[in-house]
Amino acid sequence: MKSLNKILSACIILVLCSTLTACGREELKPLQRTDIAMGTIINQSIYIEEKSSGGSWLGSFGENSVERSNENREETGFTDLTQEVMSLIDSLEKELLSWRLDSSEIYRINQESGKDGGTEVSESLYTMLEHLLEVSGKSNGALDITIGDVVRLWDIDEYASGEKTGFRLPDQKLLTEALKLTGYQKIAIENGRIYLPEGMNLDLGAVGKGAALDTIAEYFVSRPQVTGAVISVGGSILTYGRKPDASDWRVAVIDPLNPSQSIGYLALEGNWCISTSGDYERYVELEGKRYHHIIDPSTGYPADSGVKSVTVLGRDGLMSDALSTACFVLGVQEGIRLAHEFGAEVLFVDENGKITMSEGMMKYYHGN
Ligand code: ADP
Ligand code: MG
């Protein structure tokens, strides 16, 4: 829960930034809701178009906007969008991405590693895997979804959340063995099937939040009454459409050296996905040293490129999330090169608090 609290304070900064409006104007209130899912905090602010007759859906909702919307459901024909968003996230995890739940495709793929003929994969997961393998190739394996066994040996998420106590460094022999079972080049995807060497375990933890944003954006497109929204799934944020007063979305960039504060914000028009990977998100400390949750697949140890956080700005959630993890492992120079190859912008904060960003990011970033 300790790390969830940290994420919550980050989310509060985000929401404060995103609901700022021009002075003197009456602020139209979005539907707002906060939940815990995917092991993180989900924050939603959704603007709905004003009802064409019989008054406004907006402005009337106060703090209990979700409850009010439920009360008004029959009267307005309004279905609870925020609940739908939560259901979509839930399904994505249960049906596709979770390595823990036996209902998911990833779970089945891992169970069937080494099987002759491989495992059939749904179209949406297949497309994701194609994109992820491309990022793995272009990042020289800095992003590697075959890292599952190494991640399990560290279990940083469990120690950081307090689920487990008494953290110790993993046994070097076990780590070497687990590393032998990793390597994105050892998997093949072909004609709707995936082939994994026996014993390998996929882990899509690096991109689940970004994939959720893509699903949510697609859902909003099918709901024309949604005129604008900002959704945060942990460190991954979607801005969708526009605000009622047409001002920019403002997404805070957290200070990794002091995560309850921001160092600045991105001012954005329209549809973007912003993903941040940082060593302050999930970590444990042992003998004064921090061990965080992003592993360098070339060593099996938490990445140590001198970077404290990486924020990636792109049009696609899965890719922004994949790139933020890869850039964290690669460090500043190689990270900027990688982001550029995928048409994304990137901002790094190093251990001295120094900010370095891609040229295109300068247009959007405003320091405090
Ligand atoms: P967060 O989940 O906090 O947003 P990231 O998006 O950077 O952070 O993903 C970190 C998660 O991804 C880890 O918890 C682990 O499950 C997985 N992971 C860690 N290192 C790698 C890596 N090099 N490549 C792919 N997945 C990784
Ligand atoms: Mg990521």
Side-chain angles (χ1 to χ4, degrees):
M1 232 39 218
K2 207 175 68 190
S3 66
L4 280 185
N5 285 338
K6 274 187 231 134
I7 300 169
L8 184 59
S9 54
C11 288
I12 289 166
I13 293 176
L14 163 76
V15 170
L16 283 176
C17 270
S18 66
T19 55
L20 290 177
T21 53
C23 285
R25 278 196 170 186
E26 193 186 332
E27 187 182 341
L28 295 175
K29 289 236 168 69
L31 298 171
Q32 288 185 320
R33 174 176 173 141
T34 302
D35 296 85
I36 292 178
M38 281 192 155
T40 191
I41 313 265
I42 319 275
N43 235 302
Q44 307 185 45
S45 293
I46 306 180
Y47 292 96
I48 316 289
E49 73 180 343
E50 289 193 59
K51 210 177 153 199
S52 48
S53 62
S56 166
W57 284 353
L58 294 172
S60 60
F61 294 145
E63 281 166 22
N64 296 324
S65 54
V66 172
E67 287 74 9
R68 283 294 298 276
S69 71
N70 281 336
E71 272 171 31
N72 291 357
R73 181 182 292 194
E74 277 188 17
E75 183 199 329
T76 60
F78 175 79
T79 38
D80 190 349
L81 290 155
T82 59
Q83 180 53 46
E84 288 278 321
V85 166
M86 288 315 298
S87 304
L88 288 171
I89 292 174
D90 198 48
S91 307
L92 185 70
E93 193 171 25
K94 282 193 180 133
E95 292 164 23
L96 244 60
L97 300 182
S98 173
W99 61 267
R100 290 173 199 266
L101 302 171
D102 61 10
S103 51
S104 86
E105 280 196 52
I106 290 294
Y107 185 94
R108 204 179 66 244
I109 290 168
N110 288 343
Q111 285 289 305
E112 294 184 359
S113 66
K115 189 180 139 194
D116 277 350
T119 305
E120 198 181 335
V121 181
S122 67
E123 221 178 295
S124 48
L125 185 58
Y126 195 84
T127 308
M128 284 184 208
L129 292 170
E130 282 179 321
H131 287 129
L132 295 174
L133 289 177
E134 192 189 347
V135 177
S136 291
K138 291 192 168 148
S139 69
N140 248 322
L143 177 89
D144 194 332
I145 56 167
T146 69
I147 198 88
D149 287 327
V150 177
V151 172
R152 294 296 86 70
L153 268 184
W154 284 94
D155 261 351
I156 301 285
D157 283 7
E158 285 72 5
Y159 288 108
S161 67
E163 225 173 284
K164 276 187 161 184
T165 53
F167 173 74
R168 287 280 162 271
L169 295 189
D171 179 78
Q172 188 55 49
K173 238 175 90 188
L174 293 178
L175 202 54
T176 307
E177 272 165 38
L179 272 172
K180 280 191 201 141
L181 276 173
T182 69
Y184 71 96
Q185 309 94 325
K186 297 177 189 158
I187 63 177
I189 56 171
E190 209 177 69
N191 298 327
R193 304 188 79 79
I194 185 163
Y195 303 82
L196 249 59
E198 195 172 351
M200 178 183 272
N201 283 298
L202 299 187
D203 177 336
L204 268 66
V207 293
K209 300 175 185 90
L213 298 184
D214 293 335
T215 307
I216 296 164
E218 207 179 299
Y219 169 67
F220 286 159
V221 170
S222 74
R223 293 289 179 278
Q225 71 268 40
V226 176
T227 56
V230 57
I231 310 288
S232 66
V233 182
S236 293
I237 295 147
L238 166 73
T239 61
Y240 178 84
R242 53 195 288 280
K243 280 164 72 176
D245 67 358
S247 62
D248 286 339
W249 300 111
R250 288 182 173 200
V251 175
V253 178
I254 303 298
D255 180 355
L257 303 172
N258 187 4
S260 62
Q261 308 278 327
S262 70
I263 51 167
Y265 63 90
L266 305 181
L268 303 165
E269 258 176 44
N271 306 337
W272 289 98
C273 290
I274 305 95
S275 177
T276 297
S277 289
D279 78 345
Y280 58 90
E281 286 171 329
R282 295 159 206 251
Y283 64 89
V284 281
E285 276 170 342
L286 183 67
E287 291 161 9
K289 194 168 158 41
R290 179 177 292 193
Y291 296 90
H292 61 75
H293 68 317
I294 302 169
I295 303 292
D296 181 344
S298 69
T299 63
Y301 267 70
D304 191 15
S305 61
V307 159
K308 293 290 276 185
S309 78
V310 181
T311 297
V312 171
L313 173 67
R315 295 292 187 180
D316 181 279
L318 180 90
M319 292 305 270
S320 300
D321 211 355
L323 290 172
S324 73
T325 305
C327 288
F328 189 95
V329 173
L330 288 176
V332 176
Q333 296 311 326
E334 279 298 287
I336 288 180
R337 177 203 53 80
L338 180 71
H340 184 73
E341 272 197 62
F342 285 94
E345 303 303 338
V346 64
L347 181 149
F348 293 86
V349 184
D350 76 10
E351 48 209 4
N352 302 313
K354 186 176 166 228
I355 300 170
T356 312
M357 64 187 107
S358 59
E359 214 182 308
M361 187 66 113
M362 292 177 193
K363 203 163 92 198
Y364 306 104
Y365 179 72
H366 301 260
N368 286 341

